[in-house]
Amino acid sequence: MTAHGPHRGPERKTTMGSIDVLVKDVRIITCDADDTVIERGYLAVREGRIDAFGPMDGTVPAHASEVLDGTGLSVLPGLVNSHMHFHYRRLGGPVGPNILGPVALDALKSTRTAFNLLREGVTSVRDVGHNDDSRLHVRDAIRDGVIVGPRATVSGAAIGMSYGHAYFVAESVASLDGLVETIRRQAHEGADLIKIIASNEDLPNPPGDELTVPWFSAKAVQVAVETAHECGLPIAAHANGARALERCIEAGVDTIEHGIHLSADHASAMAERGIALVPTLSGFFENSREFWGRSWQPRYAALWNVHRETIGNAVDAGVLIGTGTDTLGTVAQEAWLLHKYGGASRAAALAAATRNGARIARQGADVGTIAAGNRADLVLVEGAPDRDLLDLGRARHTFLAGRRFTREELAKLIPAHRFFVDELDGPEALPRSAGVAAQGPCG
Ligand SMILES: [Zn+2]
């Protein structure tokens, strides 16, 4: 859809010279409810907010402190990574020793990730946990201006039942009392959400088996949901396999993370109950590749093969979907895979990466879309991602509350490291046209 006329905040009286940044001749992808696109427009930023935007006509402000030529670029709301882990994002090689370091090192690694996320055009994130509390401090440090990074919503330590999936990066509980106590403590300590690991897919399930090891009993999921909600917090459930999904949907979690083996029935129940899905397709896609040198590559390849076959159920049912990369992958990949395998329209994939994510991460109504008065959390990418979603991975400028960072500036700040893979378009297997990914990495 193409809009006409300028869009201004009702309270706004633009005066000459008061605009901080004016982007001209830019493609504007608003990601609003109508998926409005302005082919050639302007966008003005003032005092950290979107002041006005519209087509390049007589309403373009005459003066601005800084004018950017947007020719060949598109501006979108800043991207949202709805499922990631600050301190072990895009680590190659053996994972164990690299993610169980001291909390101070975790915080420093998180700072590195924060820069990298800005470089990718990501301005909001949802960190779904580790077994220490570094991400809470990183969130606060970003909020208080100690470091620069995307706005963060963070969970308490992921809560698992004893010896479950990823128990070494989770906080294990052994009883319902322990579960209640842990959730209350995490709420007290300042978590923005609760995360449970409701299924265990690390066990040697027979091929084709639907990961039928829920790990959390139906009662335990119900207790977790009730306790989180009583504490005023949303609850996210890592859930794969039919039985775990059923228990989580029935209990009314707020989001399902991953959701492998999600059936059409699960999906329609989620849509009906307003339960969102963060499928982390790119996380599974990347973990299925030998490039990363991970011991679990064969298992993730099998999971990816199932996931890409069933993700369309969620798209078809109209489930609210967000783009999360988990430990690997990028938001651009995630949107592309959602389109490629889930059948999501490009507009729907862009919505997942922006306005849906803002809702899932509970970042407030003034982020996730381009609208006058909204926070100027923006990304300018090369190309036109509403035509080619992989252009989302070509961020050139990222605005955080109106403050602009360029790709080059951020790249200079991030030293090369033998474990971290920071390049945005180096390792990804996704081609810019048909090819390997058309069959997927495994088939
Ligand atoms: Zn995760």
Side-chain angles (χ1 to χ4, degrees):
M1 180 182 287
T2 299
H4 300 283
H7 303 251
R8 288 180 196 282
E11 78 287 10
R12 233 144 280 279
K13 285 194 208 68
T14 303
T15 52
M16 292 216 309
S18 66
I19 300 297
D20 299 319
V21 184
L22 175 64
V23 189
K24 291 164 81 169
D25 294 305
V26 70
R27 184 178 188 81
I28 301 176
I29 302 170
T30 63
C31 297
D32 67 7
D34 298 323
D35 302 313
T36 305
V37 173
I38 299 172
E39 302 272 346
R40 182 169 165 262
Y42 75 91
L43 184 144
V45 173
R46 183 170 65 165
E47 292 171 6
R49 301 254 159 198
I50 299 168
D51 190 72
F53 66 98
M56 288 294 293
D57 58 17
T59 64
V60 181
H63 300 281
S65 303
E66 183 185 12
V67 177
L68 269 185
D69 177 9
T71 306
L73 305 179
S74 297
V75 62
L76 298 91
L79 306 180
V80 184
N81 193 334
S82 293
H83 179 132
M84 48 77 71
H85 304 271
F86 261 119
H87 83 279
Y88 55 104
R89 182 145 194 279
R90 292 177 80 72
L91 268 172
V95 167
N98 291 316
I99 65 173
L100 294 173
V103 62
L105 187 57
D106 286 350
L108 291 167
K109 287 176 175 173
S110 300
T111 306
R112 177 191 188 93
T113 299
F115 286 142
N116 267 318
L117 288 161
L118 291 180
R119 187 155 69 137
E120 293 170 40
V122 172
T123 56
S124 292
V125 297
R126 181 166 163 268
D127 184 318
V128 282
H130 183 45
N131 61 353
D132 66 33
D133 60 0
S134 58
R135 77 209 154 280
L136 275 76
H137 302 302
V138 168
R139 170 199 65 189
D140 295 349
I142 291 170
R143 182 196 59 206
D144 297 342
V146 177
I147 60 169
V148 169
R151 294 164 207 283
T153 301
V154 304
S155 79
I159 301 170
M161 286 291 172
S162 311
Y163 310 112
H165 169 78
Y167 64 89
F168 53 97
V169 287
E171 185 169 351
S172 288
V173 297
S175 67
L176 294 181
D177 285 347
L179 182 59
V180 170
E181 164 73 13
T182 301
I183 291 171
R184 287 179 178 165
R185 178 177 45 73
Q186 291 188 355
H188 173 74
E189 289 171 352
D192 299 312
L193 69 143
I194 298 301
K195 157 96 175 287
I196 59 169
I197 300 182
S199 61
N200 186 352
E201 52 276 3
D202 297 347
L203 299 174
N205 297 296
D209 181 275
E210 290 191 3
L211 307 164
T212 52
V213 187
W215 223 247
F216 266 63
S217 68
K219 178 71 182 167
V221 184
Q222 192 191 331
V223 165
V225 169
E226 280 172 12
T227 309
H229 287 170
E230 281 165 10
C231 293
L233 298 180
I235 179 166
H238 165 117
N240 294 317
R243 283 198 295 155
L245 285 164
E246 270 151 32
R247 289 177 186 183
C248 291
I249 294 164
E250 181 63 29
V253 300
D254 296 283
T255 62
I256 298 282
E257 312 296 316
H258 317 305
I260 298 170
H261 284 294
L262 192 86
S263 69
D265 286 347
H266 297 137
S268 60
M270 286 175 71
E272 199 174 295
R273 289 162 187 240
I275 299 172
L277 175 69
V278 187
T280 66
L281 298 170
S282 58
F284 284 94
F285 173 83
E286 285 295 336
N287 270 290
S288 76
R289 296 178 53 217
E290 288 172 9
F291 169 86
W292 297 95
R294 296 193 163 177
S295 57
W296 53 58
Q297 182 271 335
R299 182 159 54 82
Y300 272 79
L303 293 172
W304 164 243
N305 280 336
V306 176
H307 206 14
R308 70 184 183 192
E309 291 299 319
T310 51
I311 184 60
N313 289 329
V315 174
D316 293 346
V319 174
L320 184 78
I321 298 176
T323 49
T325 63
D326 213 349
T327 58
L328 301 171
T330 64
V331 171
Q333 273 183 314
E334 190 70 24
W336 190 89
L337 291 167
L338 203 52
H339 170 64
K340 170 79 187 164
Y341 292 107
S345 67
R346 290 185 184 85
L350 291 173
T354 55
R355 69 171 187 262
N356 295 1
R359 271 177 71 187
I360 289 167
R362 305 206 176 187
Q363 292 255 335
D366 61 350
V367 291
T369 58
I370 289 183
N374 272 10
R375 292 198 308 223
D377 288 358
L378 303 164
V379 59
L380 269 81
V381 301
E382 292 164 8
D386 54 325
R387 292 179 181 153
D388 182 350
L389 286 164
L390 290 178
D391 285 345
L392 276 185
R394 303 169 72 201
R396 191 187 284 183
H397 307 269
T398 302
F399 287 79
L400 201 54
R403 187 172 167 196
R404 183 166 67 93
F405 301 88
T406 67
R407 178 171 61 194
E408 293 75 18
E409 278 167 5
L410 290 162
K412 275 185 208 158
L413 286 172
I414 306 166
H417 187 280
R418 66 201 165 103
F419 286 130
F420 286 99
V421 177
D422 300 318
E423 297 79 22
L424 303 184
D425 49 12
E428 276 87 1
L430 297 188
R432 294 203 60 79
S433 54
V436 177
Q439 294 91 46
C442 317

